[in-house]
Amino acid sequence: MALDGENRDGGSASVRVLKHCLEDVDSISSLPDVILQENLSLIPTKFAIRTSVLSKRWRHVWSETPSLDFDDCYKLDVDFIDKTLALYRARKIMTFDLWITNGINLPYIDGWIKFAMSRNVENLFLSFDFRLYDVPDYLYINSSVKQLVLGTESSELNPRCSLRVLDLTKSPSLKILEIHGSIWGSGPKHIVAPHIHSLTLKNSQLLSTFVDISSLTEAKVDICFCSLKEIKANFLLDTVLKCLYKLQNVDKLTFGANFLKILSLAEGRGLPFPMFKAKALTLETTISKYVIPGIFRVLQNSPELKKLTLHTMDREGEYDPTYLRCMKLDHCSIFAKISRRNVESKHVASFMELMIKTTKKLEKMVVRLESYLDGRGFEELLEMVPMLSQNNNVSIVLSSTKPRQSL
């Protein structure tokens, strides 16, 4: 009898759990379509479509999500994308994300982009990991796109018939432009973008010349190079300094480590820098003697700077340029033998203080450490922050994104 009773109790418990789960599913299904679609837009489209088998209620919910996300990492094929677009019902696409790694899909890419543009897409993310695709001109002549992100491992991101000039004068709605590349791919030589407010140009081995960026308020810039055998230092100097002068009126600036190294070379050669009007500056860099002269000069030439963010990047195998090793680097004695592996809390504190004392009106400093200090080192730095803040009359915010484990 006791055994039978246990079975009956267990059976009742299972029924209650099942009923509770069904109630949860029903409660989700009862939500308005717009909420369900907003949630489905946060996952790759391939997975969003799978919800159509849950019930009749879910069968067509995915087809009006505000975003479509096609990622080749999930082994998408041409038929799947074509069928998905054929069944898609929404009249407007907010975000269209296309990441293609297989060159077999090359002949179909134009059609997929045109589909997104026919639905007045606002945020367009395109990434190609092969060399043969040239982005078509019609992409840049559009009234609906507000954010354009172009990524490549090796593709040419050049308009097909415009002599490598990226002309966005006929795209008045486009406010955000991002171009991500690699040492194997190149971007447009010239950028004409009078309407954009935010520009990101990263990991391109050849920086573009800014012809017109008159509305720009925010810029993030870095370059990718391995050695002087690939790119001449003098060419980089000329390109980077021209870029600086075009960015001197921008409110928010972000410079990467390689960009700062070239600025250090310019400083070492006594080349003139523009005066900046930036009120916020972010430095995404390793702690290295090779970036300090460039940082020092930028800070000196930024008299209106209110907020400084230091994001220490973790870069294994980073190259130290030969043409910087033989330079006389002032302000760097304490960092002469510092590498990523032996940075201590006192070095980070000295680095912070050096930058603070170089500024004139700084009000806030944000330091984001990435894999630079172990837990103990980070605690030591935390103890130094109040004194640094008090002595320099600057608010300091310190965080660690990926602290190393203590040994």
Side-chain angles (χ1 to χ4, degrees), residues 376-399:
R376 181 178 178 181
F378 183 74
E379 292 298 324
E380 291 175 351
L381 185 60
L382 273 176
E383 294 176 0
M384 301 178 193
V385 165
M387 187 64 69
L388 274 175
S389 180
Q390 181 179 348
N391 291 347
N392 297 282
N393 196 28
V394 173
S395 171
I396 300 177
V397 178
L398 181 65
S399 67

PDB file of all heavy atoms in Angstrom, residues 376-399:
ATOM      1  N   ARG A 376      44.997  40.031  -6.721  1.00  0.00           N
ATOM      2  CA  ARG A 376      45.738  40.774  -5.699  1.00  0.00           C
ATOM      3  C   ARG A 376      46.235  42.106  -6.238  1.00  0.00           C
ATOM      4  O   ARG A 376      46.160  43.142  -5.565  1.00  0.00           O
ATOM      5  CB  ARG A 376      46.916  39.930  -5.207  1.00  0.00           C
ATOM      6  CG  ARG A 376      47.738  40.606  -4.123  1.00  0.00           C
ATOM      7  CD  ARG A 376      48.855  39.686  -3.664  1.00  0.00           C
ATOM      8  NE  ARG A 376      49.689  40.335  -2.661  1.00  0.00           N
ATOM      9  CZ  ARG A 376      50.761  39.774  -2.095  1.00  0.00           C
ATOM     10  NH1 ARG A 376      51.114  38.540  -2.437  1.00  0.00           N
ATOM     11  NH2 ARG A 376      51.475  40.425  -1.202  1.00  0.00           N
ATOM     12  N   GLY A 377      46.763  42.084  -7.474  1.00  0.00           N
ATOM     13  CA  GLY A 377      47.245  43.323  -8.086  1.00  0.00           C
ATOM     14  C   GLY A 377      46.132  44.345  -8.269  1.00  0.00           C
ATOM     15  O   GLY A 377      46.337  45.550  -8.079  1.00  0.00           O
ATOM     16  N   PHE A 378      44.964  43.846  -8.634  1.00  0.00           N
ATOM     17  CA  PHE A 378      43.823  44.751  -8.817  1.00  0.00           C
ATOM     18  C   PHE A 378      43.418  45.368  -7.479  1.00  0.00           C
ATOM     19  O   PHE A 378      43.099  46.560  -7.412  1.00  0.00           O
ATOM     20  CB  PHE A 378      42.653  43.987  -9.437  1.00  0.00           C
ATOM     21  CG  PHE A 378      41.465  44.846  -9.730  1.00  0.00           C
ATOM     22  CD1 PHE A 378      41.466  45.730 -10.799  1.00  0.00           C
ATOM     23  CD2 PHE A 378      40.326  44.780  -8.937  1.00  0.00           C
ATOM     24  CE1 PHE A 378      40.369  46.527 -11.074  1.00  0.00           C
ATOM     25  CE2 PHE A 378      39.227  45.570  -9.199  1.00  0.00           C
ATOM     26  CZ  PHE A 378      39.251  46.446 -10.271  1.00  0.00           C
ATOM     27  N   GLU A 379      43.435  44.578  -6.410  1.00  0.00           N
ATOM     28  CA  GLU A 379      43.108  45.103  -5.085  1.00  0.00           C
ATOM     29  C   GLU A 379      44.126  46.157  -4.659  1.00  0.00           C
ATOM     30  O   GLU A 379      43.769  47.173  -4.050  1.00  0.00           O
ATOM     31  CB  GLU A 379      43.066  43.963  -4.064  1.00  0.00           C
ATOM     32  CG  GLU A 379      41.915  42.983  -4.265  1.00  0.00           C
ATOM     33  CD  GLU A 379      40.558  43.653  -4.122  1.00  0.00           C
ATOM     34  OE1 GLU A 379      40.429  44.567  -3.279  1.00  0.00           O
ATOM     35  OE2 GLU A 379      39.628  43.265  -4.862  1.00  0.00           O
ATOM     36  N   GLU A 380      45.403  45.935  -4.966  1.00  0.00           N
ATOM     37  CA  GLU A 380      46.442  46.925  -4.643  1.00  0.00           C
ATOM     38  C   GLU A 380      46.197  48.233  -5.381  1.00  0.00           C
ATOM     39  O   GLU A 380      46.339  49.323  -4.808  1.00  0.00           O
ATOM     40  CB  GLU A 380      47.818  46.368  -5.010  1.00  0.00           C
ATOM     41  CG  GLU A 380      48.275  45.211  -4.134  1.00  0.00           C
ATOM     42  CD  GLU A 380      49.584  44.606  -4.607  1.00  0.00           C
ATOM     43  OE1 GLU A 380      50.049  44.984  -5.724  1.00  0.00           O
ATOM     44  OE2 GLU A 380      50.132  43.756  -3.897  1.00  0.00           O
ATOM     45  N   LEU A 381      45.820  48.117  -6.647  1.00  0.00           N
ATOM     46  CA  LEU A 381      45.547  49.323  -7.427  1.00  0.00           C
ATOM     47  C   LEU A 381      44.328  50.060  -6.884  1.00  0.00           C
ATOM     48  O   LEU A 381      44.311  51.299  -6.837  1.00  0.00           O
ATOM     49  CB  LEU A 381      45.346  48.949  -8.898  1.00  0.00           C
ATOM     50  CG  LEU A 381      45.162  50.110  -9.875  1.00  0.00           C
ATOM     51  CD1 LEU A 381      46.383  51.036  -9.855  1.00  0.00           C
ATOM     52  CD2 LEU A 381      44.922  49.593 -11.289  1.00  0.00           C
ATOM     53  N   LEU A 382      43.319  49.295  -6.478  1.00  0.00           N
ATOM     54  CA  LEU A 382      42.130  49.914  -5.888  1.00  0.00           C
ATOM     55  C   LEU A 382      42.497  50.757  -4.670  1.00  0.00           C
ATOM     56  O   LEU A 382      41.924  51.832  -4.442  1.00  0.00           O
ATOM     57  CB  LEU A 382      41.115  48.837  -5.486  1.00  0.00           C
ATOM     58  CG  LEU A 382      40.126  48.364  -6.546  1.00  0.00           C
ATOM     59  CD1 LEU A 382      39.263  47.236  -5.984  1.00  0.00           C
ATOM     60  CD2 LEU A 382      39.240  49.505  -7.035  1.00  0.00           C
ATOM     61  N   GLU A 383      43.442  50.293  -3.897  1.00  0.00           N
ATOM     62  CA  GLU A 383      43.859  51.034  -2.704  1.00  0.00           C
ATOM     63  C   GLU A 383      44.601  52.318  -3.063  1.00  0.00           C
ATOM     64  O   GLU A 383      44.606  53.278  -2.284  1.00  0.00           O
ATOM     65  CB  GLU A 383      44.744  50.141  -1.832  1.00  0.00           C
ATOM     66  CG  GLU A 383      44.006  48.946  -1.233  1.00  0.00           C
ATOM     67  CD  GLU A 383      44.927  48.029  -0.442  1.00  0.00           C
ATOM     68  OE1 GLU A 383      46.144  48.352  -0.369  1.00  0.00           O
ATOM     69  OE2 GLU A 383      44.455  47.008   0.095  1.00  0.00           O
ATOM     70  N   MET A 384      45.214  52.354  -4.236  1.00  0.00           N
ATOM     71  CA  MET A 384      45.949  53.549  -4.665  1.00  0.00           C
ATOM     72  C   MET A 384      45.045  54.614  -5.273  1.00  0.00           C
ATOM     73  O   MET A 384      45.396  55.795  -5.300  1.00  0.00           O
ATOM     74  CB  MET A 384      47.019  53.166  -5.706  1.00  0.00           C
ATOM     75  CG  MET A 384      48.038  52.173  -5.230  1.00  0.00           C
ATOM     76  SD  MET A 384      49.205  51.763  -6.578  1.00  0.00           S
ATOM     77  CE  MET A 384      50.031  50.329  -5.902  1.00  0.00           C
ATOM     78  N   VAL A 385      43.881  54.191  -5.766  1.00  0.00           N
ATOM     79  CA  VAL A 385      43.002  55.099  -6.501  1.00  0.00           C
ATOM     80  C   VAL A 385      42.548  56.311  -5.686  1.00  0.00           C
ATOM     81  O   VAL A 385      42.581  57.446  -6.188  1.00  0.00           O
ATOM     82  CB  VAL A 385      41.788  54.331  -7.075  1.00  0.00           C
ATOM     83  CG1 VAL A 385      40.684  55.294  -7.510  1.00  0.00           C
ATOM     84  CG2 VAL A 385      42.221  53.482  -8.259  1.00  0.00           C
ATOM     85  N   PRO A 386      42.110  56.154  -4.431  1.00  0.00           N
ATOM     86  CA  PRO A 386      41.660  57.336  -3.682  1.00  0.00           C
ATOM     87  C   PRO A 386      42.724  58.422  -3.584  1.00  0.00           C
ATOM     88  O   PRO A 386      42.423  59.613  -3.716  1.00  0.00           O
ATOM     89  CB  PRO A 386      41.315  56.758  -2.300  1.00  0.00           C
ATOM     90  CG  PRO A 386      40.958  55.330  -2.576  1.00  0.00           C
ATOM     91  CD  PRO A 386      41.889  54.914  -3.660  1.00  0.00           C
ATOM     92  N   MET A 387      43.977  58.026  -3.346  1.00  0.00           N
ATOM     93  CA  MET A 387      45.052  59.006  -3.255  1.00  0.00           C
ATOM     94  C   MET A 387      45.295  59.681  -4.600  1.00  0.00           C
ATOM     95  O   MET A 387      45.492  60.899  -4.680  1.00  0.00           O
ATOM     96  CB  MET A 387      46.332  58.323  -2.776  1.00  0.00           C
ATOM     97  CG  MET A 387      47.478  59.286  -2.493  1.00  0.00           C
ATOM     98  SD  MET A 387      47.106  60.407  -1.118  1.00  0.00           S
ATOM     99  CE  MET A 387      47.134  59.242   0.258  1.00  0.00           C
ATOM    100  N   LEU A 388      45.282  58.876  -5.682  1.00  0.00           N
ATOM    101  CA  LEU A 388      45.439  59.451  -7.016  1.00  0.00           C
ATOM    102  C   LEU A 388      44.339  60.464  -7.305  1.00  0.00           C
ATOM    103  O   LEU A 388      44.585  61.550  -7.835  1.00  0.00           O
ATOM    104  CB  LEU A 388      45.396  58.338  -8.071  1.00  0.00           C
ATOM    105  CG  LEU A 388      46.683  57.595  -8.415  1.00  0.00           C
ATOM    106  CD1 LEU A 388      46.372  56.459  -9.379  1.00  0.00           C
ATOM    107  CD2 LEU A 388      47.700  58.539  -9.019  1.00  0.00           C
ATOM    108  N   SER A 389      43.124  60.097  -6.941  1.00  0.00           N
ATOM    109  CA  SER A 389      41.979  60.960  -7.186  1.00  0.00           C
ATOM    110  C   SER A 389      42.071  62.249  -6.387  1.00  0.00           C
ATOM    111  O   SER A 389      41.859  63.351  -6.906  1.00  0.00           O
ATOM    112  CB  SER A 389      40.687  60.215  -6.835  1.00  0.00           C
ATOM    113  OG  SER A 389      39.562  61.025  -7.051  1.00  0.00           O
ATOM    114  N   GLN A 390      42.433  62.118  -5.117  1.00  0.00           N
ATOM    115  CA  GLN A 390      42.505  63.284  -4.237  1.00  0.00           C
ATOM    116  C   GLN A 390      43.641  64.215  -4.642  1.00  0.00           C
ATOM    117  O   GLN A 390      43.471  65.433  -4.696  1.00  0.00           O
ATOM    118  CB  GLN A 390      42.693  62.825  -2.793  1.00  0.00           C
ATOM    119  CG  GLN A 390      42.752  63.961  -1.780  1.00  0.00           C
ATOM    120  CD  GLN A 390      42.906  63.443  -0.360  1.00  0.00           C
ATOM    121  OE1 GLN A 390      42.752  62.251  -0.109  1.00  0.00           O
ATOM    122  NE2 GLN A 390      43.204  64.343   0.553  1.00  0.00           N
ATOM    123  N   ASN A 391      44.796  63.659  -4.943  1.00  0.00           N
ATOM    124  CA  ASN A 391      45.958  64.480  -5.280  1.00  0.00           C
ATOM    125  C   ASN A 391      45.787  65.238  -6.581  1.00  0.00           C
ATOM    126  O   ASN A 391      46.400  66.299  -6.781  1.00  0.00           O
ATOM    127  CB  ASN A 391      47.214  63.602  -5.373  1.00  0.00           C
ATOM    128  CG  ASN A 391      47.652  63.067  -4.024  1.00  0.00           C
ATOM    129  OD1 ASN A 391      47.174  63.538  -2.986  1.00  0.00           O
ATOM    130  ND2 ASN A 391      48.539  62.079  -4.035  1.00  0.00           N
ATOM    131  N   ASN A 392      44.967  64.707  -7.474  1.00  0.00           N
ATOM    132  CA  ASN A 392      44.822  65.326  -8.797  1.00  0.00           C
ATOM    133  C   ASN A 392      43.442  65.922  -9.029  1.00  0.00           C
ATOM    134  O   ASN A 392      43.165  66.424 -10.122  1.00  0.00           O
ATOM    135  CB  ASN A 392      45.122  64.284  -9.877  1.00  0.00           C
ATOM    136  CG  ASN A 392      46.557  63.776  -9.822  1.00  0.00           C
ATOM    137  OD1 ASN A 392      47.482  64.440 -10.262  1.00  0.00           O
ATOM    138  ND2 ASN A 392      46.744  62.588  -9.255  1.00  0.00           N
ATOM    139  N   ASN A 393      42.564  65.837  -8.022  1.00  0.00           N
ATOM    140  CA  ASN A 393      41.213  66.401  -8.116  1.00  0.00           C
ATOM    141  C   ASN A 393      40.465  65.869  -9.334  1.00  0.00           C
ATOM    142  O   ASN A 393      39.837  66.620 -10.090  1.00  0.00           O
ATOM    143  CB  ASN A 393      41.284  67.939  -8.172  1.00  0.00           C
ATOM    144  CG  ASN A 393      39.934  68.575  -7.888  1.00  0.00           C
ATOM    145  OD1 ASN A 393      39.098  68.007  -7.176  1.00  0.00           O
ATOM    146  ND2 ASN A 393      39.703  69.741  -8.464  1.00  0.00           N
ATOM    147  N   VAL A 394      40.552  64.547  -9.518  1.00  0.00           N
ATOM    148  CA  VAL A 394      39.902  63.879 -10.646  1.00  0.00           C
ATOM    149  C   VAL A 394      39.137  62.663 -10.126  1.00  0.00           C
ATOM    150  O   VAL A 394      39.661  61.892  -9.321  1.00  0.00           O
ATOM    151  CB  VAL A 394      40.936  63.422 -11.701  1.00  0.00           C
ATOM    152  CG1 VAL A 394      40.276  62.574 -12.780  1.00  0.00           C
ATOM    153  CG2 VAL A 394      41.623  64.622 -12.333  1.00  0.00           C
ATOM    154  N   SER A 395      37.896  62.489 -10.586  1.00  0.00           N
ATOM    155  CA  SER A 395      37.119  61.302 -10.249  1.00  0.00           C
ATOM    156  C   SER A 395      37.648  60.114 -11.047  1.00  0.00           C
ATOM    157  O   SER A 395      37.814  60.211 -12.271  1.00  0.00           O
ATOM    158  CB  SER A 395      35.639  61.534 -10.572  1.00  0.00           C
ATOM    159  OG  SER A 395      34.898  60.343 -10.448  1.00  0.00           O
ATOM    160  N   ILE A 396      37.929  58.997 -10.368  1.00  0.00           N
ATOM    161  CA  ILE A 396      38.496  57.823 -11.035  1.00  0.00           C
ATOM    162  C   ILE A 396      37.588  56.614 -10.844  1.00  0.00           C
ATOM    163  O   ILE A 396      37.205  56.282  -9.719  1.00  0.00           O
ATOM    164  CB  ILE A 396      39.905  57.496 -10.503  1.00  0.00           C
ATOM    165  CG1 ILE A 396      40.856  58.677 -10.749  1.00  0.00           C
ATOM    166  CG2 ILE A 396      40.448  56.229 -11.172  1.00  0.00           C
ATOM    167  CD1 ILE A 396      42.248  58.461 -10.187  1.00  0.00           C
ATOM    168  N   VAL A 397      37.241  55.968 -11.952  1.00  0.00           N
ATOM    169  CA  VAL A 397      36.450  54.736 -11.932  1.00  0.00           C
ATOM    170  C   VAL A 397      37.334  53.609 -12.450  1.00  0.00           C
ATOM    171  O   VAL A 397      37.886  53.694 -13.546  1.00  0.00           O
ATOM    172  CB  VAL A 397      35.177  54.863 -12.799  1.00  0.00           C
ATOM    173  CG1 VAL A 397      34.402  53.549 -12.797  1.00  0.00           C
ATOM    174  CG2 VAL A 397      34.302  56.001 -12.303  1.00  0.00           C
ATOM    175  N   LEU A 398      37.466  52.552 -11.669  1.00  0.00           N
ATOM    176  CA  LEU A 398      38.353  51.455 -12.014  1.00  0.00           C
ATOM    177  C   LEU A 398      37.568  50.151 -12.114  1.00  0.00           C
ATOM    178  O   LEU A 398      36.762  49.833 -11.252  1.00  0.00           O
ATOM    179  CB  LEU A 398      39.442  51.318 -10.938  1.00  0.00           C
ATOM    180  CG  LEU A 398      40.500  50.236 -11.128  1.00  0.00           C
ATOM    181  CD1 LEU A 398      41.350  50.519 -12.360  1.00  0.00           C
ATOM    182  CD2 LEU A 398      41.392  50.153  -9.886  1.00  0.00           C
ATOM    183  N   SER A 399      37.804  49.394 -13.199  1.00  0.00           N
ATOM    184  CA  SER A 399      37.144  48.101 -13.351  1.00  0.00           C
ATOM    185  C   SER A 399      38.092  47.130 -14.030  1.00  0.00           C
ATOM    186  O   SER A 399      39.033  47.527 -14.711  1.00  0.00           O
ATOM    187  CB  SER A 399      35.852  48.231 -14.171  1.00  0.00           C
ATOM    188  OG  SER A 399      36.146  48.589 -15.508  1.00  0.00           O
TER     189      SER A 399
END
